[in-house]
Amino acid sequence: AADALYQLIPRRVSVELLSEYGIEGQAEQEETMTRELLSFTLYWVSAAINAHIPRKYREVLFQRVLELIQAGWTTEFKIESIKWEDYLVEMEERRARYAPVGDYEGGAMAASEEISDLLENEGLIQPEDRPKLLVLLPDLVPLDKYQDLLSQCV
């Protein structure tokens, strides 16, 4: 299940990918955008694991996904400005930020608004790009696919 989840996780978020959605990006922001979207993705992967996998296997499964990401940290994700250990701290901070809104009915949209706020505040997207980001997020972070995959594992 971890390998299949890993295959669904978006890798490097490039300027070209953003431009396909009409979002103006800059090459020097790719790494930060990749990290932020990875943290957002991992919040939802964790939520899907918690919803579909028996408690005693949840942590093992999530840790295996993290190990796969770590193995591709500098190659597939092309992240070099932050050490893996430091990223884990950042990821947990982001998960804590998304949980209060994402864990409720309508949470996917609320959490998408939350990451939009974050990206806009960090200067990674312009205010006029918010609606475009809300189109991009479900394509990059396919919650239904995570849920379908994990419900088959039970």
Side-chain angles (χ1 to χ4, degrees):
D3 293 322
L5 277 172
Y6 177 71
Q7 293 307 316
L8 293 173
I9 293 173
R11 302 309 194 262
R12 182 74 170 192
V13 178
S14 66
V15 170
E16 293 78 22
L17 173 68
L18 295 173
S19 70
E20 289 175 23
Y21 289 83
I23 299 171
E24 192 175 321
Q26 297 171 353
E28 60 270 11
Q29 296 173 328
E30 284 183 4
E31 192 169 304
T32 305
M33 185 70 93
T34 298
R35 280 196 345 256
E36 292 296 352
L37 287 168
L38 179 59
S39 294
F40 186 73
T41 300
L42 288 171
Y43 165 73
W44 287 112
V45 166
S46 175
I49 288 171
N50 290 342
H52 295 282
I53 300 298
R55 186 175 304 264
K56 64 181 179 178
Y57 302 114
R58 290 175 187 167
E59 188 60 28
V60 171
L61 179 57
F62 190 70
Q63 287 304 315
R64 177 64 185 137
V65 171
L66 291 178
E67 289 168 10
L68 292 167
I69 293 169
Q70 182 182 14
W73 190 240
T74 57
T75 53
E76 289 187 64
F77 294 90
K78 298 181 177 75
I79 297 177
E80 297 173 355
S81 68
I82 185 173
K83 290 183 191 158
W84 174 250
E85 296 74 21
D86 296 332
Y87 170 71
L88 291 176
V89 172
E90 179 181 273
M91 177 202 64
E92 288 302 332
E93 290 170 356
R94 296 302 185 262
R95 284 174 61 191
R97 180 176 181 154
Y98 300 133
V101 292
D103 291 350
Y104 298 97
E105 187 72 32
M109 185 51 103
S112 294
E113 289 287 350
E114 189 68 27
I115 190 175
S116 296
D117 290 345
L118 180 78
L119 296 176
E120 188 178 328
N121 292 340
E122 289 187 12
L124 295 171
I125 64 166
Q126 298 305 310
E128 59 271 14
D129 289 336
R130 285 178 74 101
K132 300 168 192 167
L133 185 68
L134 296 177
V135 173
L136 169 71
L137 288 172
D139 290 350
L140 278 187
V141 188
L143 308 183
D144 54 337
K145 289 184 181 175
Y146 302 153
Q147 293 168 350
D148 291 346
L149 173 74
L150 292 170
S151 65
Q152 293 170 17
C153 295
V154 179

